[in-house]
């Protein structure tokens, strides 16, 4: 029987165990939107995870949607992330970077020259974000022109290259939680005509081009992808045919030799099986040759159970890793878990970030 504590390979990346740290926005980037010394400590403390998926990180200045989130588009940011990857590697861990473009989930005050956010559509989301003035409605976006999309793909390619230069073991393309790539995928948002709107094939085109560019740049074995077929996060409606849409996406990316497919089951940070909905995640797995990673509120025993049932290859934990830097040991030894404190989740200093205790040696 496979255990959570057995090693596994995600493509070219060798994991010591199957307890993965999920990507978590912590909003503590310092000047220049780069990780600072506290962020180095935070990830070093969690290096016993089989794999750390570092927080969602902007591929370009236009990709930002919240105050205090880091980027991977300047030389200064690459150098700062190198401190993080060196610390994790010195502690024996593995770490990939999540590549993020928020699309319309942003506010002009966060963008270059007060620009409008960009998306597949010019319709605003009914959502809010954190700006220098606090919790604010997102701004109305501008629909990208088709001739701007090659530049966007290029931003993903460069960000992937920057991540490798910063010492990451790979990248995860963030195509989940209703940010830019999912704003193209879903017919509830994408109201375009032309090659990037309309049919499933057209709505998936941008994501597939991004995956092709990233894997060509750094190799499929160092590239993962995150999807969330059934989330209504950011007040975004589901697609009209989620199973057909995401089956198609996975079928199209399958030949790229990706390291892993990471699925947020159900509502992000909510229930994995929302009432009145159905989605068969096993179909995605059956079409995907790499490792299958799931996430969303799993306890250690639930994780072991889906692993024992051979439904998944590994499980990612978010909230449990915020509160328990030594989560792997606590699960392995069935030790009590620290309780998460809500304050300090987003922004602030050391409190709620690097002050959660590990068990005594
Ligand atoms: C957030 O900042 O709240 C956030 C970021 C990325 C996600 C989900 C939530 O995928």
């Amino acid at each position: 029987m496979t255990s959570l504590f057995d090693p596994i390979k995600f493509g070219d990346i060798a994991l010591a165990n199957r307890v993965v740290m999920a990507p978590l926005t912590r909003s503590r980037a310092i000047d220049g939107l780069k990780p600072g010394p506290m962020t180095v400590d935070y990830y070093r403390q969690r290096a016993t995870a089989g794999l750390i998926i570092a927080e969602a990180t902007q591929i370009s200045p236009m990709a930002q949607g919240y105050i205090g989130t880091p980027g991977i588009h300047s030389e200064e940011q690459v150098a700062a992330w190198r401190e993080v990857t060196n610390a994790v590697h010195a502690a024996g861990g593995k770490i990939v970077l999540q590549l993020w473009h928020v699309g319309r989930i942003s506010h002009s005050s966060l963008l270059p020259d007060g620009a409008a956010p960009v998306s597949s559509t010019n319709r605003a989301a009914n959502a809010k974000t954190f700006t220098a003035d606090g919790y604010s409605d997102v701004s109305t976006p501008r629909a990208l022109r088709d001739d701007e999309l090659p530049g966007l793909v290029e931003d993903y390619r460069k960000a992937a290259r920057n991540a490798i230069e910063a010492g990451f073991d790979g990248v995860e393309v963030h195509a989940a939680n209703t940010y830019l790539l999912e704003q193209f995928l879903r017919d509830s948002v994408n109201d375009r005509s032309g090659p990037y709107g309309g049919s499933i094939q057209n709505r998936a085109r941008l994501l597939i081009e991004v995956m092709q560019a990233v894997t060509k740049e750094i190799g499929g074995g160092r590239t993962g992808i995150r999807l969330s077929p059934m989330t209504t996060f950011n007040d975004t409606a589901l697609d009209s045919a989620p199973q057909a849409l995401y089956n198609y996406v996975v079928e199209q990316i399958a030949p790229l030799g990706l390291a892993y497919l990471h699925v947020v089951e159900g509502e992000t940070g909510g229930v994995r099986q929302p009432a009145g909905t159905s989605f068969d995640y096993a179909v995605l797995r059956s079409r995907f040759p790499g490792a299958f990673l799931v996430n969303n509120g799993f306890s250690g025993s639930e994780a072991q159970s889906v692993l024992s049932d051979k439904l998944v290859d590994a499980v990612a934990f978010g909230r449990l890793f915020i509160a328990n830097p030594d989560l792997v040991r606590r699960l392995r030894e069935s030790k009590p878990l620290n309780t998460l404190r809500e304050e300090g989740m987003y922004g602030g200093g050391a409190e709620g970030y690097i002050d959660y205790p590990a068990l005594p040696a």
Side-chain angles (χ1 to χ4, degrees), residues 177-178 182 186 228-239 266-268 274:
N177 294 339
T178 78
E182 208 167 40
R186 291 193 185 184
S228 56
M230 297 303 284
T231 197
T232 60
F233 198 63
N234 292 315
D235 276 309
T236 300
L238 297 178
D239 187 75
E267 286 289 359
T268 309

Side-chain angles (χ1 to χ4, degrees), residues 257-273:
L258 298 181
Y260 68 92
L261 167 60
H262 184 185
V263 170
V264 181
E265 293 187 351
E267 286 289 359
T268 309
V271 292
R272 290 201 293 277
Q273 231 106 54

Side-chain angles (χ1 to χ4, degrees), residues 60-291:
S60 71
M62 280 301 291
Q64 187 180 356
Y66 302 81
I67 195 161
T69 56
I72 187 73
H73 47 82
S74 75
E75 271 177 43
E76 202 193 1
Q77 289 163 346
V78 171
W81 277 116
R82 199 172 290 120
E83 302 292 323
V84 171
T85 62
N86 281 343
V88 169
H89 290 150
K94 296 285 163 70
I95 182 167
V96 299
L97 186 64
Q98 198 193 43
L99 301 184
W100 195 26
H101 193 309
V102 296
R104 68 178 183 165
I105 308 300
S106 187
H107 191 274
S108 293
S109 66
L110 297 164
L111 298 175
D113 305 318
V118 294
S119 183
S120 60
T121 178
N122 52 29
R123 292 177 300 153
N126 182 28
K128 289 186 185 282
T129 182
F130 284 99
T131 71
D133 294 325
Y135 203 44
S136 312
D137 287 339
V138 297
S139 303
T140 299
R142 174 178 76 78
L144 285 158
R145 298 184 313 273
D146 289 346
D147 68 12
E148 293 177 278
L149 298 180
L152 193 68
V153 173
E154 178 63 7
D155 287 342
Y156 277 95
R157 183 194 65 76
K158 278 194 242 157
R161 173 52 53 195
N162 285 348
I164 296 302
E165 271 169 25
F168 284 98
D169 296 290
V171 302
E172 173 176 289
V173 174
H174 191 349
N177 294 339
T178 78
Y179 294 108
L180 180 72
L181 293 170
E182 208 167 40
Q183 292 159 27
F184 274 80
L185 287 179
R186 291 193 185 184
D187 60 7
S188 57
V189 183
N190 183 335
D191 55 1
R192 309 170 73 83
S193 53
Y196 294 88
S199 64
I200 285 178
Q201 287 78 357
N202 284 357
R203 284 181 275 121
R205 191 178 309 281
L206 178 65
L207 172 57
I208 293 162
E209 288 176 352
V210 166
M211 297 312 295
Q212 288 168 337
V214 169
T215 55
K216 184 159 175 241
E217 182 68 26
I218 68 166
R222 296 198 283 189
T223 306
I225 184 171
R226 196 177 207 214
L227 302 174
S228 56
M230 297 303 284
T231 197
T232 60
F233 198 63
N234 292 315
D235 276 309
T236 300
L238 297 178
D239 187 75
S240 63
Q243 191 82 54
L245 172 62
Y246 291 89
N247 286 356
Y248 176 80
V249 166
V250 172
E251 189 181 278
Q252 292 299 305
I253 59 178
L256 298 174
L258 298 181
Y260 68 92
L261 167 60
H262 184 185
V263 170
V264 181
E265 293 187 351
E267 286 289 359
T268 309
V271 292
R272 290 201 293 277
Q273 231 106 54
T277 69
S278 72
F279 191 94
D280 190 352
Y281 297 100
V283 177
L284 302 187
R285 188 190 192 192
S286 72
R287 291 175 182 222
F288 185 77

Side-chain angles (χ1 to χ4, degrees), residues 12-37:
D12 299 342
I13 312 165
L15 284 62
N17 60 66
R18 293 146 188 258
V19 180
V20 172
M21 180 174 168
L24 295 158
T25 291
R26 305 304 309 273
S27 311
R28 283 170 172 87
I30 63 170
D31 280 0
L33 296 177
K34 62 188 183 200

